[in-house]
Amino acid sequence: MAAKPKSLAQRLSKRGPHTVLRGNLALAGQPGTVYTPAEGFGLPAVAFGHGWMTGLDKYSKLFEHLASWGIVVAAPSTERGPIPSHLGLAADLGTTLDICVGVRLGTGRISVHPDRLGLVGHGMGAGAAVLAASRREVAAVAALYPAPTSPPASTLAARVHAPGLVLAAEKDLGSMGSDAVAVAQTWGGEVLMRAVHKATDDGMIEGRRLLAFLGVGGAQRNTQKVTRALLTGYLLYRLAGDKTYAPFADPEAELPGSEVLTEPDAIDRELGTQINQLLGR
């Protein structure tokens, strides 16, 4: 009997069965870090784009979590200044995927399958992942709480034909700092948009941030837990081909801590109404 979506989500919110190794991407010519299962051949892999002025250490638990479920995660540590190049980060994500395929990782008992590559990112990095996906073929893309980029990811998403997962924060849904709705509206291929309950866009960042004293980027454990489960299930289905986790790509599936948004246009209309009311129109 197949497990129910709720049970699957609870399973994936916890650490997986694999021992995790951590490595330095700089050894392959790209500043960054890589997390892998201790062994495995033909593994799925993702390149991960970080948020604005956010170090990779703020995602370490997420990286470890994905690797514990058999997914290689490699993240470039570039474009971390206050005025980053989004195209530059997108290019580094592409380079990172090439390294995953072209370099034998770990102790030589790990390899990545070239047809099981994905792009993932958070905030600014989510937009960069979309930009990167508009330039190359991948098996899946996951944009976690995407923020506006230059050029706009919401425009270039029309060129992305890989299946996509877009996560939006319930508390920031429709705000000027969130690009989730626009990205989902223009996606060129199959896309699934989920709103995470009681979440903010920066809630998935782990630990304290440099900008926390300004009220920016407060960590939310429940947001992190839900995000890990939703992302892991989606990648296991899309990249690893494990049909057990098909509900994570199913718009009809009810998964705890989130809900599917099937009419993003309605969010834009509601936001426009609110703005007009504020302006007295």
Side-chain angles (χ1 to χ4, degrees):
M1 181 177 178
K4 295 182 178 180
K6 183 177 180 179
S7 298
L8 291 174
Q10 290 175 341
R11 179 193 305 174
L12 292 180
S13 68
K14 301 175 182 178
R15 191 181 179 94
H18 296 277
T19 299
V20 176
L21 303 179
R22 178 179 176 178
N24 189 348
L25 276 180
L27 298 177
Q30 173 67 59
T33 189
V34 58
Y35 289 75
T36 73
E39 59 183 2
F41 296 103
L43 296 173
V46 297
F48 183 93
H50 61 79
W52 180 65
M53 293 189 68
T54 306
L56 298 183
D57 60 308
K58 302 302 182 183
Y59 303 102
S60 60
K61 291 182 180 179
L62 173 63
F63 297 163
E64 290 173 358
H65 186 87
L66 291 173
S68 77
W69 282 99
I71 301 167
V72 173
V73 186
S77 181
T78 55
E79 305 300 340
R80 289 183 53 195
I83 309 177
S85 167
H86 303 140
L87 283 175
L89 181 55
D92 290 337
L93 290 172
T95 298
T96 298
L97 285 183
D98 292 337
I99 291 173
C100 288
V101 175
V103 177
R104 185 58 62 89
L105 304 172
T107 59
R109 294 183 298 174
I110 304 167
S111 69
V112 170
H113 197 290
D115 295 331
R116 294 181 173 181
L117 300 179
L119 289 159
V120 182
H122 166 246
M124 172 191 81
V130 174
L131 297 179
S134 72
R135 296 179 167 190
R136 67 177 295 161
E137 291 186 8
V138 290
V141 184
L144 312 178
Y145 316 104
T149 58
S150 179
S154 55
T155 298
L156 292 178
R159 302 181 186 177
V160 179
H161 299 292
L165 172 68
V166 178
L167 294 188
E170 185 179 58
K171 291 186 177 181
D172 291 328
L173 195 59
S175 72
M176 298 296 290
S178 173
D179 209 26
V181 172
V183 167
Q185 284 177 325
T186 56
W187 202 274
E190 179 183 341
V191 64
L192 175 65
M193 183 178 181
R194 284 189 175 273
V196 176
H197 298 162
K198 300 181 181 179
T200 61
D201 286 339
D202 285 334
M204 65 167 284
I205 296 174
E206 301 158 8
R208 296 179 61 85
R209 287 189 74 190
L210 179 64
L211 301 178
F213 70 96
L214 294 176
V216 178
Q220 300 169 339
R221 290 187 179 182
N222 189 63
T223 299
Q224 294 167 12
K225 178 181 178 180
V226 173
T227 300
R228 289 172 195 162
L230 294 176
L231 177 61
T232 304
Y234 189 80
L235 295 178
L236 286 176
Y237 175 63
R238 289 298 188 190
L239 299 185
D242 191 335
K243 295 182 180 180
T244 303
Y245 301 103
F248 289 83
D250 183 357
E252 300 297 325
E254 295 184 6
L255 298 172
S258 70
E259 63 180 300
V260 173
L261 299 179
T262 57
E263 297 183 6
D265 288 336
I267 298 171
D268 273 356
R269 289 195 298 270
E270 182 179 350
L271 179 61
T273 300
Q274 292 173 353
I275 292 174
N276 289 333
Q277 288 174 346
L278 290 173
L279 295 175
R281 295 178 181 173

